[in-house]
Amino acid sequence: MATVLIIEDDPQMACMLGALMEFEGYRAVLCPAPERALDCVRETRPDVVVMDFHLGRTRAPGLLQALRADPELRTARVIIVSGDDQEAAARAAGADRFLLKPFAIEELLEAIRELLR
């Protein structure tokens, strides 16, 4: 069973994504706080990370750059989602995929399936 780590500062969105992942047969892990994101990746060793671009004071590109700089974590597959068109910044930071909100659930699931292949 593949593990999907969700890094999202909106608790309702995080719970919804977690429930969706579980329904689809994935093991969902919710990161409790954006400032713990790297620890969550290190502890969970997820197959895919779904991360919001805007995480309170934290921004996904900074987290992703730190993740890519860590030899143990750099191979993590990351999907960044945002309500703003931040694709260029997400890709520059090393995101494997970017999805613009609102996105179709199937679009997210297909991105996860592609990254798991």
Side-chain angles (χ1 to χ4, degrees):
M1 174 186 303
T3 299
V4 178
L5 174 63
I6 299 163
I7 304 172
E8 168 65 65
D9 64 336
D10 177 341
Q12 290 179 325
M13 178 64 91
C15 287
M16 188 219 40
L17 289 172
L20 173 66
M21 294 303 110
E22 295 284 336
F23 180 79
E24 291 295 322
Y26 300 113
R27 176 177 169 253
V29 177
L30 306 182
C31 183
E35 59 273 6
R36 290 214 53 243
L38 293 177
D39 291 333
C40 289
V41 175
R42 193 171 282 110
E43 293 164 9
T44 307
R45 300 295 175 159
D47 297 289
V48 177
V49 176
V50 177
M51 182 186 316
D52 192 19
F53 188 90
H54 300 284
L55 297 164
R57 293 185 193 135
T58 306
R59 297 287 183 256
L63 287 175
L64 190 48
Q65 289 171 342
L67 190 139
R68 295 293 187 229
D70 188 314
E72 291 182 34
L73 307 178
R74 70 171 40 137
T75 59
R77 297 173 196 115
V78 178
I79 300 169
I80 293 183
V81 300
S82 179
D84 302 324
D85 187 1
Q86 297 290 342
E87 184 167 8
R91 295 286 187 165
D96 296 290
R97 298 281 187 284
F98 175 84
L99 295 177
L100 183 62
K101 294 177 185 176
F103 49 82
I105 297 300
E106 188 54 41
E107 194 177 356
L108 174 61
L109 295 173
E110 182 56 31
I112 291 169
R113 285 190 290 265
E114 284 178 15
L115 293 176
L116 291 174
R117 287 187 201 126

